[in-house]
Amino acid sequence: VVGAMDKSLCAKATADSEQPTPGYMYNEIARITHASADACRQLEDYLLKRMKKDSVHVKLKCLRVIKHCCQHGHFTFRRDMQGKTGVIKEMIQFRGAPDALHGDVFNRQLRELAQEVMNAIFDTTTASEQLHSTGRMQGFGSEGGPVAMGSGERASSGFAAGIGSACAAFACSSSATAGAPPRLETGAYSSGRMQGFGNPNFDHHAHDTSSSNRLAA
């Protein structure tokens, strides 16, 4: 169903095992937040409910998915999560049974990750938040997420304007010097040569003819 949450995908991404969640699943789940407002709410509720499972691995995976969606999903997901942080706050103080092989490693990871998720939920520097705060609202239904076109458009128009100004300045300079007599270079970097001599585009014949006429006179 278009705009619906993929429960099977979310279940696989938060499976009760030590095996890491494949990276592509994070991106697929983040796209759910862009599908529709309803799908976004369903995902929020699913992840928060699943975090109440006893398994520390399920809790860890749910937190990682929430963090990814806050950073790369629709801004609505992060805004909604700001009012649903109760379960996440509990994870910051989590004290689970030590693992037979790894001891308290997973529990410590859970506490640290929960704090990172809280920071992500209230972070206003994410790309989605910046688009929203500048008036560029994200719409639902775009699987690829938000695309900021404003800066590119301004850069393109500014580049074009710069080219136009440069061309106009060159045209003015060319018209101002057209037909003017050769000018002697002066200053610290002067070669002492008449401008034009040595230039294949300079009309040497015309200069020689004018000099001959003056001598004849």
Side-chain angles (χ1 to χ4, degrees):
V1 179
V2 178
M5 187 197 79
D6 189 340
K7 189 173 181 179
S8 175
L9 172 65
C10 295
K12 292 177 182 178
T14 58
D16 184 8
S17 69
E18 293 184 30
Q19 185 176 0
T21 302
Y24 78 90
M25 287 189 178
Y26 289 107
N27 295 329
E28 290 294 327
I29 294 175
R31 289 192 180 98
I32 294 176
T33 67
H34 291 278
S36 68
D38 187 50
C40 188
R41 302 286 194 288
Q42 291 177 22
L43 176 62
E44 297 162 12
D45 295 339
Y46 177 86
L47 292 172
L48 292 173
K49 181 179 180 179
R50 194 151 174 77
M51 278 186 63
K52 295 179 181 180
K53 296 285 186 180
D54 293 333
S55 171
V56 67
H57 300 298
V58 173
K59 295 177 186 294
L60 280 168
K61 291 179 179 180
C62 286
L63 284 175
R64 292 189 182 109
V65 171
I66 292 174
K67 180 180 177 180
H68 186 84
C69 289
C70 284
Q71 295 174 334
H72 303 284
H74 196 279
F75 76 88
T76 298
F77 180 89
R78 192 176 57 78
R79 290 288 181 86
D80 289 348
M81 290 301 297
Q82 291 178 359
K84 304 176 181 180
T85 58
V87 178
I88 301 173
K89 288 179 180 178
E90 292 177 5
M91 297 300 101
I92 297 177
Q93 305 297 329
F94 184 78
R95 293 289 185 274
D99 183 81
L101 180 62
H102 302 284
D104 196 53
V105 171
F106 296 128
N107 296 328
R108 185 176 69 252
Q109 289 180 356
L110 183 63
R111 293 191 293 269
E112 294 174 352
L113 182 57
Q115 184 59 63
E116 293 177 12
V117 172
M118 288 295 295
N119 294 339
I121 289 175
F122 292 96
D123 183 13
T124 58
T125 63
T126 60
S128 61
E129 174 64 21
Q130 289 173 354
L131 285 176
H132 176 65
S133 62
T134 55
R136 298 180 181 276
M137 297 292 289
Q138 295 181 54
F140 287 104
S142 172
E143 293 184 355
V147 178
M149 296 298 292
S151 59
E153 292 169 353
R154 290 192 296 272
S156 177
S157 61
F159 178 72
I163 293 178
S165 299
C167 291
F170 178 78
C172 291
S173 176
S174 300
S175 62
T177 57
R183 177 170 54 86
L184 182 65
E185 295 178 354
T186 60
Y189 297 96
S190 170
S191 63
R193 299 175 57 196
M194 295 290 287
Q195 291 188 0
F197 287 97
N199 185 345
N201 295 324
F202 184 76
D203 190 353
H204 296 283
H205 178 72
H207 180 74
D208 293 341
T209 302
S210 62
S211 298
S212 298
N213 292 338
R214 286 197 299 273
L215 290 173

